[in-house]
Amino acid sequence: MEEKTIVCISCYYKGYDFMDEMKKLGNKIILVTSEGLKEKNWPWHAIDEVFYMAEIKPSVWNLDHLVQGFSHLMKTRKVDAVVALDDYDVEKAALIRETFRIPGMGQTTHRYFRDKLLCARKQKIRELVFRNLQLFLIMTK
């Protein structure tokens, strides 16, 4: 199998098993994560390079800086895939993919993905309201 360069984006400490498995499959792993996660127990044996992003507030990065940094990274590396390791990183990965024409889910598709999560949350709220209403009706009979 040909070595691929996979950039993993994570503003949370996640994705240990994924990065470990991708490395075992013969891929190069680049991690982009928050400065505050430097001391976490990342799978250092599987990570070839790591880049740190400053946080504006917890888990929020300046996306312009992310694009600028990625532009610099791509001057000397061919990136085959960009992977979000957490739901909150899907937006970041989609922005990078679309900006640099890397295959995968772009910003438009990412918005549908996020809307589905919102719809699922709304559905849970509706179910809770319905259950509470049923209980209220049973108790008031």
Side-chain angles (χ1 to χ4, degrees), residues 103-117:
M105 180 172 54
Q107 290 180 297
T108 301
T109 309
H110 132 266
R111 287 186 183 100
Y112 288 116
F113 174 83
R114 295 302 295 173
D115 283 349
K116 287 179 186 172
L117 291 176

Side-chain angles (χ1 to χ4, degrees), residues 29-46:
I29 305 299
I30 299 173
L31 174 64
V32 179
T33 189
S34 297
E35 277 181 330
L37 301 176
K38 280 183 182 181
E39 304 304 319
K40 292 293 185 183
N41 187 28
W42 294 102
W44 297 115
H45 62 279

Side-chain angles (χ1 to χ4, degrees), residues 52-97:
Y52 297 104
M53 292 291 301
E55 292 182 317
I56 297 170
K57 55 185 179 180
S59 78
V60 177
W61 302 345
N62 180 320
L63 297 180
D64 289 334
H65 292 172
L66 178 63
V67 169
Q68 290 168 359
F70 210 88
S71 172
H72 180 71
L73 182 144
M74 294 215 30
K75 287 180 182 177
T76 56
R77 299 159 191 84
K78 178 185 179 289
V79 174
D80 297 293
V82 177
V83 178
L85 297 178
D86 185 76
D87 287 349
Y88 293 102
D89 300 311
V90 171
E91 175 185 9
K92 297 172 185 88
L95 172 65
I96 292 300
R97 283 188 212 104

